[in-house]
């Protein structure tokens, strides 16, 4: 039987630490959250992000823009927020409507306020290991591993998924932690053999219950990043929990595993952005 990695509990603990840190700061961290359109899932994420800000003492302001907002209008707003002194982090909820170029939008945010760590400058810094902000979901995974005393050093780490948001940065963070990392994706040959080699398996695929018990090694640490909605409306991960849990040493549930950590890491990045800004002003 695996030990369940409790993302809710770790997230709560991290938020308490952040709250204490914010109370001691000489500036109030501020986050601007931009939502374009009315995608219900995005609306929930944005609501949770704002609630998280309130919980730890971060000032937040939100911009709920209509679906037909033009790219120029969005870029103009970002330009304004780039210069706004009480805003230290800018978050544009993805995905954006099809007529807006996501890359152009991400690139328009000044790297100092890019609390999602998607800007190429921050992506480059993650590559070299000299970073200010870590991408939220992979950082959440690393925080969970550390909390449970799971050290990737010398371990076979297999990441399934190569997206810019999760898979690639996750692989890089595991590498920085001295894991021996394999990245798998939709064109990987014999995925099962790769999975069976993993001491630490991170699934970020977007396919419900894709990883089954016969694909994991006895005693593996199984981290499920996936968030998928079943036909009955229930949330499920990329890992078939029922068949993997008896073989794993540690496993994250969905919901309640990686999910709660992502927003907490966003809050952490916002506090860090404010601290860096305050340090700069004090120089
Ligand atoms: P994505 O669609 O951008 O990437 C999916 C990756 O899975 C791709 O790199 C693809 O090569 C790989 N893949 C697809 N089919 C595969 C197969 N048959 N075998 C091996 N690899 C395969 O998705 P993403 O944005 O990286 O998100 C992945 C999952 O994580 C989704 O379910 C998403 O909802 C979830 N997610 C969760 C959080 C969180 O906070 N927990 C944050 C971001 C994403």
């Amino acid at each position: 039987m695996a030990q369940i990695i409790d993302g809710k509990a770790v997230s709560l603990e991290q938020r308490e630490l952040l709250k204490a840190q914010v109370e001691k700061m000489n500036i109030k961290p501020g986050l601007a959250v931009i939502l374009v359109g009315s995608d219900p899932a995005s609306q929930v994420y944005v609501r949770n992000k704002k609630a998280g800000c309130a919980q730890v003492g971060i000032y937040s302001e939100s911009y709920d823009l209509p679906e037909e907002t033009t790219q120029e209008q969005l870029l103009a707003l970002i330009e304004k927020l780039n210069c706004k002194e009480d805003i230290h982090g800018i978050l544009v909820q993805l995905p954006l409507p099809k007529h807006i170029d996501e890359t152009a939008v991400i690139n328009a945010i000044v790297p100092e306020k890019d609390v999602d760590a998607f800007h190429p400058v921050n992506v480059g810094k993650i590559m070299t290991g000299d970073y200010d902000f870590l991408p939220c979901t992979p950082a959440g995974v690393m925080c969970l591993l550390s909390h449970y005393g799971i050290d990737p050093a010398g371990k076979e780490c297999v990441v399934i998924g190569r997206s810019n948001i999760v898979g690639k940065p996750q692989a890089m963070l595991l590498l920085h932690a001295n894991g021996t990392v394999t990245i798998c994706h939709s064109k990987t040959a014999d995925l099962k053999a790769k999975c069976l080699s993993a001491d630490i398996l991170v699934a970020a695929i977007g396919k419900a219950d894709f990883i089954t018990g016969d694909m994991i090694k006895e005693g593996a640490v199984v981290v499920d990043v996936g968030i998928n909605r079943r036909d009955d409306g229930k949330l499920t991960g990329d890992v078939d929990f029922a068949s993997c849990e008896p073989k794993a040493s540690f496993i994250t549930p969905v919901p309640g595993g990686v999910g709660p950590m992502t927003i907490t890491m966003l809050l952490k990045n916002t506090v860090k952005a404010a601290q860096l800004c305050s340090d700069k002003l004090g120089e």
Side-chain angles (χ1 to χ4, degrees), residues 141-154:
V141 170
M142 298 311 286
C143 185
L144 287 176
L145 294 180
S146 159
H147 184 90
Y148 283 86
I150 302 161
D151 182 2

Side-chain angles (χ1 to χ4, degrees), residues 88-89 112 115 133 268-278:
H88 307 98
E112 302 79 45
V115 284
F133 310 123
K268 196 171 178 174
N269 281 345
T270 305
V271 172
K272 175 106 185 257
Q275 189 59 57
L276 290 172
C277 174
S278 161

Side-chain angles (χ1 to χ4, degrees), residues 45 136-137 160-167 184-188 191 203-207 210 224-228 236-238 257-263:
Y45 288 135
C136 301
T137 301
I160 316 173
R162 56 175 162 182
S163 70
N164 289 333
I165 292 173
V166 189
C184 299
H185 47 79
S186 53
K187 299 281 187 273
T188 296
L191 182 71
I205 310 163
K207 290 200 157 96
F210 185 82
D224 190 354
V225 176
I227 303 176
N228 311 293
T236 186
D238 291 342
V258 176
M261 295 300 291
T262 298
I263 294 180

Side-chain angles (χ1 to χ4, degrees), residues 163-243:
S163 70
N164 289 333
I165 292 173
V166 189
K168 278 188 218 163
Q170 184 67 73
M172 203 48 65
L173 298 193
L174 288 164
L175 184 62
H176 288 320
N178 297 315
T180 302
V181 184
T182 304
I183 306 174
C184 299
H185 47 79
S186 53
K187 299 281 187 273
T188 296
D190 202 355
L191 182 71
K192 185 174 173 180
K194 301 278 190 301
C195 292
L196 279 167
S197 74
D199 300 312
I200 299 175
L201 182 73
V202 181
I205 310 163
K207 290 200 157 96
D209 307 325
F210 185 82
I211 303 295
T212 44
D214 59 319
M215 296 171 78
I216 67 161
K217 181 156 91 178
E218 197 71 48
V221 174
V222 180
V223 179
D224 190 354
V225 176
I227 303 176
N228 311 293
R229 205 165 279 281
R230 284 205 193 106
D231 292 343
D232 63 5
K234 287 213 174 98
L235 284 187
T236 186
D238 291 342
V239 172
D240 176 41
F241 190 87
S243 63

Side-chain angles (χ1 to χ4, degrees), residues 21-223:
Q21 190 183 340
V22 169
E23 277 164 9
K24 285 195 217 123
M25 286 170 71
N26 54 9
I27 57 170
K28 194 171 177 70
L31 177 71
V33 183
I34 305 174
L35 173 65
V36 186
S38 52
D39 174 59
S42 292
Q43 283 174 333
V44 173
Y45 288 135
V46 163
R47 223 177 18 247
N48 290 342
K49 284 167 187 176
K50 285 192 286 195
C53 284
Q55 200 183 350
V56 305
I58 294 173
Y59 161 71
S60 73
E61 53 188 37
S62 46
Y63 295 86
D64 294 340
L65 308 178
E67 180 85 21
E68 56 277 11
T69 302
T70 65
Q71 183 165 318
E72 289 65 35
Q73 287 168 327
L74 180 55
L75 292 177
L77 172 60
I78 291 172
E79 198 49 50
K80 193 179 96 185
L81 294 169
N82 278 340
C83 304
K84 202 165 182 282
E85 283 183 7
D86 58 349
I87 290 299
H88 307 98
I90 302 171
L91 180 131
V92 180
Q93 185 63 44
L94 301 179
L96 288 167
K98 295 241 172 334
H99 64 276
I100 298 179
D101 176 359
E102 273 184 13
T103 306
V105 171
I106 289 168
N107 292 356
I109 300 171
V110 287
E112 302 79 45
K113 296 191 180 187
D114 168 42
V115 284
D116 257 336
F118 293 161
H119 190 286
V121 166
N122 288 322
V123 173
K125 286 181 162 202
I126 291 156
M127 187 82 154
T128 60
D130 172 30
Y131 42 74
D132 298 317
F133 310 123
L134 288 176
C136 301
T137 301
V141 170
M142 298 311 286
C143 185
L144 287 176
L145 294 180
S146 159
H147 184 90
Y148 283 86
I150 302 161
D151 182 2
K155 305 246 168 60
E156 294 294 329
C157 303
V158 174
V159 178
I160 316 173
R162 56 175 162 182
S163 70
N164 289 333
I165 292 173
V166 189
K168 278 188 218 163
Q170 184 67 73
M172 203 48 65
L173 298 193
L174 288 164
L175 184 62
H176 288 320
N178 297 315
T180 302
V181 184
T182 304
I183 306 174
C184 299
H185 47 79
S186 53
K187 299 281 187 273
T188 296
D190 202 355
L191 182 71
K192 185 174 173 180
K194 301 278 190 301
C195 292
L196 279 167
S197 74
D199 300 312
I200 299 175
L201 182 73
V202 181
I205 310 163
K207 290 200 157 96
D209 307 325
F210 185 82
I211 303 295
T212 44
D214 59 319
M215 296 171 78
I216 67 161
K217 181 156 91 178
E218 197 71 48
V221 174
V222 180
V223 179

